[in-house]
Amino acid sequence: MKWLLLLSLVALSECLYKVPLVRKKSLRENLSQHGLLEDFLKKRNFNLASKYFKEAATGTATEPLENYLDMEYFGTIGIGTPPQEFTVIFDTGSSNLWVPSVYCSSPACSNHHRFNPKQSSTYQATSQTVSIAYGTGSMTGILGYDTVQVAGIADTNQIFGLSETEPGSFLYYAPFDGILGLAYPSIASSGATPVFDNMWNQGLLSQDLFSVYLSPNGQSGSVVMFGGIDSSYYTGNLNWVPLSSETYWQITVDSISMNGEAIACSGGCQAIVDTGTSLLSGPTNAIANIQSRIGATQDSNGQMVVSCSAINNLPDIVFTINGIQYPLAPSAYILQSQQGCASGFQGMNIPTGSGELWILGDVFIRQYFTVFDRGNNQVGLAPVA
């Protein structure tokens, strides 16, 4: 169902709402310090089995953004009356909203903000439970209803998870509190209605879509926009790609090439556009071939490191999608930090009935402004401005 938890999002004019994605202390540094980075960089489990128009409101709401090391993107929401604030990943690779609660005694909960239903006059309890598993963590809890404030939008009667357990150490070190899923209802655990669907059903948005911009190089400005598209974030025209599955935001990739030669996905493959994954993932054999071509080798922490000088010498890696080429320059797929340079690719085999599956995470989305169009079941892509 999910893997590396990192992300962002965007949109525009009449009746569009911006949510800032705030970054905090580096998750990479915390995990590396405790010897946990290698396991965390292995994607989260992909559970394929478990997993709208009224008169629109008007107005915009913008919050300041902070981007830290291009590794984590998250924003602040409020839950309850009065609102209790939480930082959450805006995740197009899952569909549930959940936050820690006062019912949780796991170390991960004691280290984060916890929702207290008794402090909200609008909270409605249920007897339903929820359980969500990730490759490097999990949560179990109960479902409740309350008003969720998202970028100035009051999303009333929103179902969400209140965690009771968050086992393991990974969520303890996570610099965000919870997750706000933006994928399709079909993969929502316990049949919970996703936040975006609930906002659309209440007539709070002018268009049945949301957009994402992820800022690069530690810059601020990352946003998620609900209900609109802001052309100032991209150049040229949006190219629309039909979904191949209305579960995750899944599309078909024609090929992946370097110097005009197919180096992976030569006969076409499936990919998920996922703001909740920091790297660009694919089947281990295909990724191993790419790592070899860019000169990446594994270090003692399990990271695939690359010589920083390679940024000036390596060619683009081109993703052809729906007949359009989307090149990634070496400066995009090689991640630079004070510690050196690392590959932005990672290998992960995800079992599906449709062959190999790729995940176009933040490494890809930072280069391409992305529109997630629920009304037409398509994704729009354009080079960032």
Side-chain angles (χ1 to χ4, degrees):
M1 134 136 221
K2 263 275 29 97
W3 30 88
L4 254 191
L5 295 167
L6 315 170
L7 110 85
S8 81
L9 318 150
V10 249
L12 135 115
S13 98
E14 186 180 335
C15 190
L16 104 168
Y17 306 84
K18 295 184 179 179
V19 174
L21 303 178
V22 180
R23 289 167 167 269
K24 292 187 177 177
K25 187 176 180 180
S26 169
L27 178 59
R28 177 185 290 275
E29 290 184 348
N30 272 333
L31 295 178
S32 181
Q33 180 181 351
H34 293 85
L36 300 170
L37 183 61
E38 180 178 0
D39 286 340
F40 191 77
L41 289 175
K42 295 175 182 176
K43 284 273 193 170
R44 301 183 174 272
N45 280 347
F46 209 86
N47 188 350
L48 291 172
S50 68
K51 295 259 229 233
Y52 305 147
F53 180 98
K54 303 173 185 175
E55 182 178 340
T58 59
T60 62
T62 304
E63 300 176 24
L65 301 178
E66 180 184 349
N67 174 337
Y68 191 75
L69 296 181
D70 292 346
M71 284 298 293
E72 300 105 28
Y73 298 81
F74 43 88
T76 300
I77 65 171
I79 303 178
T81 307
Q84 300 172 43
E85 288 195 348
F86 299 90
T87 54
V88 295
I89 294 288
F90 286 81
D91 180 18
T92 60
S94 68
S95 299
N96 288 78
L97 167 62
W98 68 267
V99 295
S101 79
V102 293
Y103 306 130
C104 177
S105 59
S106 300
C109 295
S110 62
N111 197 36
H112 291 85
H113 295 111
R114 293 185 288 178
F115 180 75
N116 188 345
K118 293 182 179 180
Q119 293 180 358
S120 173
S121 62
T122 47
Y123 177 76
Q124 301 175 54
T126 79
S127 59
Q128 293 177 271
T129 61
V130 64
S131 176
I132 305 174
Y134 302 94
T136 50
S138 63
M139 66 79 67
T140 64
I142 58 173
L143 291 171
Y145 290 86
D146 213 329
T147 298
V148 176
Q149 301 284 344
V150 183
I153 304 172
D155 172 27
T156 59
N157 203 37
Q158 175 62 54
I159 192 168
F160 70 103
L162 296 75
S163 74
E164 294 178 314
T165 67
E166 295 180 27
S169 57
F170 293 100
L171 289 175
Y172 177 87
Y173 293 111
F176 48 85
D177 299 314
I179 300 173
L180 191 156
L182 290 167
Y184 278 72
S186 59
I187 61 168
S189 295
S190 300
T193 301
V195 168
F196 181 81
D197 291 77
N198 207 43
M199 290 194 298
W200 175 252
N201 291 339
Q202 293 180 44
L204 301 175
L205 306 173
S206 59
Q207 296 183 70
D208 194 3
L209 53 77
F210 60 93
S211 324
V212 172
Y213 168 73
L214 296 184
S215 60
N217 304 320
Q219 299 170 11
S220 62
S222 301
V223 290
V224 54
M225 298 168 136
F226 295 102
I229 303 168
D230 188 343
S231 61
S232 68
Y233 283 100
Y234 64 89
T235 62
N237 298 316
L238 284 164
N239 295 309
W240 295 100
V241 184
L243 296 187
S244 54
S245 175
E246 295 166 20
T247 49
Y248 304 91
W249 290 90
Q250 185 171 327
I251 60 176
T252 299
V253 175
D254 304 334
S255 67
I256 302 171
S257 61
M258 179 186 285
N259 288 327
E261 175 193 354
I263 58 172
C265 186
S266 58
C269 57
Q270 294 298 296
I272 290 164
V273 186
D274 182 14
T275 57
T277 294
S278 62
L279 302 184
L280 208 159
S281 300
T284 53
N285 289 339
I287 292 295
N289 180 40
I290 293 175
Q291 305 287 34
S292 176
R293 287 173 178 265
I294 67 175
T297 57
Q298 191 172 61
D299 68 5
S300 58
N301 289 322
Q303 290 192 80
M304 298 302 294
V305 296
V306 184
S307 170
C308 291
S309 63
I311 295 174
N312 299 319
N313 301 318
L314 288 169
D316 293 353
I317 295 179
V318 179
F319 289 73
T320 302
I321 303 171
N322 203 30
I324 304 295
Q325 293 189 339
Y326 298 89
L328 288 184
S331 58
Y333 64 76
I334 295 178
L335 309 177
Q336 304 178 68
S337 70
Q338 292 181 345
Q339 291 72 41
C341 292
S343 170
F345 292 91
Q346 65 177 7
M348 179 180 57
N349 292 322
I350 302 172
T352 73
S354 55
E356 62 184 36
L357 188 66
W358 292 72
I359 301 166
L360 306 182
D362 296 346
V363 165
F364 182 89
I365 300 171
R366 269 195 291 272
Q367 307 305 309
Y368 295 98
F369 177 83
T370 306
V371 180
F372 298 85
D373 185 351
R374 282 289 303 274
N376 298 293
N377 296 317
Q378 61 185 357
V379 171
L381 299 169
V384 295

